[in-house]
């Protein structure tokens, strides 16, 4: 990452973080506002608002006019994290206890609900000229995220999920919000129809690459970097790219070996090494890396219709960051 | 209830019900859309959309222009029911199993989330002229409902809740959405500032009366009429009007008797009779009835600033219905 991009990202991240904290400054009821402050102070990467703001700038718009929407989108992302963590029984997130673990499920349900409402409240501050179009886009995207999460949970109990179904699921659960970030940014930046479409595709492809990378990191990343238990997707029988690919394409003997690993209640480092070894032999790790590279290359191609400016350069850089990320 | 009003209510209810079902017609993912269809087909009274539509009409507006907002508000109400039922571990609602009981908690969390998103999506279809103002009002109301629910849960473990705190809680949890219904209806009906304020107060007072009546019905209503277990508020140590009033004003001997009743894991008809008897002796039942009557009288006074038309007449009638309702 160039220093220029790093400075820009940090600056935008700080602005978004400050705005979000201002939105949940109330003290009472403590059982609502303490969890809200906690969620929003956990230091996420803020990729979605970054995408939204860079997209606005890339089509010649002013970042200031897109800030409310960027904050709203990040709040939506945090809403999904809080509720998904309950559903997935995940205890750790970004290196800290999840809300339902630190408080209880009720607090987490309510905190998630409130994050979503505050997101919409913030979105309503954008220019009234764009409010209807963007509200519709915002809601249809979030509904798809809910559909994606429903599919994700359905897939856990299904042994026959195909890679096509996997891509449908992550298309909704992850890529849709990436695409919405870019689209909304481009609309608020007054981009042309062609620019909006290009950025939407860029966001979607980036989102798919991001999720496949996420699936890889569950197995490959160094402990403590991820901020959550390594191998937890595998333990929960999540239909990640890795599992879906292996189940569709690997020889039976490898599937039997993976099945054998499932018997371990908690995966130690030796189990993980063994799983990585099996997935290498089936060609699954290589297929995942290829998928990521291919999506990111396609994503970069989409940026071709934009004018050559700093924001576009940063969007290129962001795509490389996705491939190199370790957490 | 006059036959005229009954016909009108049924007609509006059917229109709202049909619109809601159209909004969740998708088939897949079944784990999301089946619970959604189930929630919205449970035959609620649809008081909030009725309030919204009558308010629009009472200030001279057209019901058609307020229909999207009415549907959105009823979806929000259903969202709160689905999530509150998880938090309160309630198994029955409107005579049927609650969503988390019929499916599971994950399905209920996700169905509630989707209801809220579809509500906002529907709201965005109102006239763009009003969208910003009404979106802000909509979100601040729902956030207060979340705050009210948080207070409600906090109060369960507090022995010293005052009647003032109780009114703060129900003001947020129940009355706020009643008030929002009237306000949004009046804004969409192009009412004057004075008319909007009057209808907002009417809605709030009606909401308070509705909730105190709800608290009374938990103890007084005939089994099977309520669609949920009688006495469940008492069992869950909910700070209803009855309990809060008794704990603040009743003599110690009555409180001891109530405490004694708490030892029963499940309340039978004899226990309920005994509880009613104690609450009569402390003057709590009478105080609740007085509170309801007083709120409804004040509510009716607010309608004085409106012109004399059919919708205003129905709003008067609705206030009487609240006092007489048995479920």
């Amino acid at each position: 990452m160039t220093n220029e991009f790093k400075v820009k990202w940090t600056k935008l991240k700080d602005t978004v973080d400050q705005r979000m904290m201002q939105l949940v400054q109330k003290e009472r009821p403590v059982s609502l506002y303490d969890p809200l402050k906690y969620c929003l102070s956990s230091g996420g990467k803020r990729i979605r608002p970054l995408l939204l703001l860079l997209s606005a700038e890339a089509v010649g718009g002013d970042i200031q006019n897109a800030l409310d929407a960027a904050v709203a989108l990040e709040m939506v992302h945090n809403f999904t994290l809080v509720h998904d963590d309950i559903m997935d029984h995940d205890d750790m997130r970004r290196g800290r206890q999840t809300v339902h673990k630190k408080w209880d499920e009720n607090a987490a349900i309510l905190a998630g609900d409130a994050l979503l409402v505050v997101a919409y409240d913030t979105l309503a501050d954008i220019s009234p000229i764009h409010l209807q179009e963007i509200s519709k886009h915002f809601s249809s995207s979030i509904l798809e995220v809910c559909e994606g999460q429903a599919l994700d949970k359905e897939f856990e109990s299904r042994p026959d999920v195909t890679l096509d179904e996997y891509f449908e699921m992550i298309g909704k659960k992850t890529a849709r919000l990436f695409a919405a970030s870019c689209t909304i940014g481009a609309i608020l930046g007054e981009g042309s129809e062609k620019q909006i479409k290009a950025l939407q595709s860029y966001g979607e492809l980036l989102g798919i690459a991001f999720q496949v990378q996420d699936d890889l990191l569950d197995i490959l990343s160094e402990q403590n970097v991820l901020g959550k238990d390594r191998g937890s997707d595998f333990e929960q029988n999540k239909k990640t790219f890795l599992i879906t690919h292996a189940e569709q394409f690997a020889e039976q003997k490898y599937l039997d070996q993976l099945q054998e690993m499932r018997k371990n209640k908690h995966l130690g480092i030796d189990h993980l090494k063994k799983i990585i070894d099996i997935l290498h032999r089936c060609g699954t790790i290589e297929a995942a890396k290829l998928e990521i590279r291919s999506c990111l290359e396609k994503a970069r191609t989409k940026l071709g219709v934009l004018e050559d400016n700093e924001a576009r350069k940063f969007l290129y850089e962001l795509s490389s960051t996705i491939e190199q990320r370790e957490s």
Side-chain angles (χ1 to χ4, degrees), chain A residues 66-136:
Chain A
L67 209 51
D68 289 315
V71 168
L73 220 109
E74 182 61 21
M75 309 258 323
V76 167
H77 172 57
N78 280 274
F79 139 74
T80 65
L81 296 182
V82 175
H83 280 189
D84 287 1
D85 283 341
I86 308 173
M87 296 185 224
D88 293 339
H89 307 286
D90 276 329
D91 293 345
M92 298 294 285
R93 156 85 55 198
R94 294 168 180 162
R96 308 193 306 176
Q97 282 188 310
T98 48
V99 177
H100 68 94
K101 186 77 186 169
K102 189 170 167 74
W103 283 272
D104 55 32
E105 281 200 15
N106 289 353
I109 292 172
L110 220 41
D113 293 346
L115 284 169
L116 183 56
V117 175
V118 176
Y120 272 104
D121 191 42
T122 307
L123 188 77
D125 289 328
I126 65 170
S127 158
I129 303 165
H130 293 298
L131 184 56
Q132 189 153 42
E133 180 184 8
I134 286 181
S135 288
K136 296 299 287 183

Side-chain angles (χ1 to χ4, degrees), chain A residues 149-214:
Chain A
Q149 172 66 5
L151 288 177
D152 198 9
K153 298 308 289 180
E154 286 182 14
F155 289 176
E156 282 177 29
S157 56
R158 273 186 48 199
D160 57 345
V161 176
T162 64
L163 218 47
D164 278 351
E165 287 179 304
Y166 165 82
F167 281 116
E168 185 198 358
M169 183 266 285
I170 68 162
K172 287 172 180 285
K173 188 173 161 158
T174 308
R176 194 66 167 86
L177 223 49
F178 274 69
S181 303
C182 295
T183 312
I184 292 172
I187 294 170
L188 287 172
E190 310 281 357
S192 68
E193 203 53 49
K194 203 173 158 189
Q195 289 174 323
I196 295 169
K197 284 268 168 255
L199 280 162
Q200 179 169 25
S201 301
Y202 164 85
E204 191 172 349
L205 288 158
L206 206 72
I208 293 168
F210 183 90
Q211 185 57 56
V212 178
Q213 179 77 339
D214 218 57

Side-chain angles (χ1 to χ4, degrees), chain A residues 212 216 240-250 258 276 278-291:
Chain A
V212 178
L216 257 183
T240 62
F241 179 92
L242 306 179
I243 293 309
T244 315
H245 183 274
E247 285 185 353
Q248 197 168 351
F249 299 108
L258 286 173
I276 294 167
I278 302 167
L279 293 174
H280 264 301
R281 284 163 195 263
C282 332
T284 291
I285 302 270
E286 198 43 52
K289 289 187 172 170
L290 197 67
E291 182 66 40

Side-chain angles (χ1 to χ4, degrees), chain A residues 44-66:
Chain A
K45 293 179 285 291
R46 313 307 187 206
I47 290 184
R48 292 156 195 81
L50 178 70
L51 274 175
L52 195 151
L53 296 170
L54 289 179
S55 295
E57 215 170 38
V59 299
D62 185 348
I63 274 188
Q64 289 307 316
N65 299 336

